[in-house]
Amino acid sequence: MIRNLEDFVMDWQHESDSTLKILEALTDESLQQRVNEDGRTLGKIAWHLVTSIDEMIGRTGLQFSATPHETPQPSTVKEMSDAYRKSRDSIVKPMKEQWTDESLLVEKDMYGEQWTIATVLQTLIQHQIHHRGQMTILMRQAGLTVPGMYGPSKDEWLAFGEEAPE
């Protein structure tokens, strides 16, 4: 629950660091991985996370500079990771300059509904978590090592020379 700007900043730092770890673990070849022929590619989901920062936070009225939602997907992981890093870093300072804790209670139109800015921020974080979960499945299918998000992953336990807990 986001009760003040500092709650968001703390959560955002951890969650966006986790998203960046996932993005940086991808390979250019893995960007074409799909769960099935009708599903999104790993690259499409990754790019969606990059551009959704602009799309979601832009609806709050915050003045900041992130990768625009309409930007075409690049072909390399490096371009995606760099764009994500820039976008995720672009929102905290403007929030602290333009908003107060009371701003979190202001309602904004989000997809035809009225959401408080606090709800938008919480949804942004949950949206990242949701798509990271999808990405880790596709990463395993592509044979990639999955980094841990909330503790060591199976791959990291094995690298420690230990069996992963069941």
Side-chain angles (χ1 to χ4, degrees), residues 35-163:
V35 70
N36 60 43
E37 64 184 52
D38 295 332
R40 287 181 180 176
T41 64
L42 184 51
K44 180 92 169 158
I45 297 169
W47 191 241
H48 172 65
L49 283 179
V50 174
T51 62
S52 65
I53 296 169
D54 172 68
E55 199 280 326
M56 292 179 79
I57 299 302
R59 291 174 179 262
T60 67
L62 185 73
Q63 298 300 305
F64 68 107
S65 177
T67 302
H69 185 251
E70 303 80 27
T71 304
Q73 178 183 324
S75 58
T76 69
V77 170
K78 179 171 181 3
E79 291 171 288
M80 287 186 188
S81 297
D82 289 349
Y84 182 80
R85 186 178 291 105
K86 178 185 173 222
S87 293
R88 68 110 187 230
D89 291 346
S90 74
I91 61 175
V92 173
K93 185 176 182 218
M95 283 179 182
K96 289 180 176 182
E97 293 171 351
Q98 298 172 39
W99 292 347
T100 64
D101 291 343
E102 290 73 32
S103 300
L104 300 176
L105 301 175
V106 173
E107 291 187 344
K108 297 291 181 173
D109 177 42
M110 292 294 287
Y111 317 109
E113 298 178 359
Q114 292 296 304
W115 295 6
T116 64
I117 290 176
T119 300
V120 174
L121 296 177
Q122 188 68 56
T123 301
L124 176 67
I125 289 171
Q126 292 167 340
H127 181 254
Q128 300 259 317
I129 295 166
H130 163 72
H131 287 303
R132 280 198 325 252
Q134 292 176 321
M135 291 173 70
T136 60
I137 299 300
L138 294 172
M139 289 172 73
R140 290 238 184 258
Q141 288 180 333
L144 300 178
T145 299
V146 175
M149 300 292 103
Y150 303 105
S153 68
K154 177 181 178 179
D155 303 305
E156 291 169 334
W157 279 110
L158 295 173
F160 299 149
E162 299 184 30
E163 285 190 38

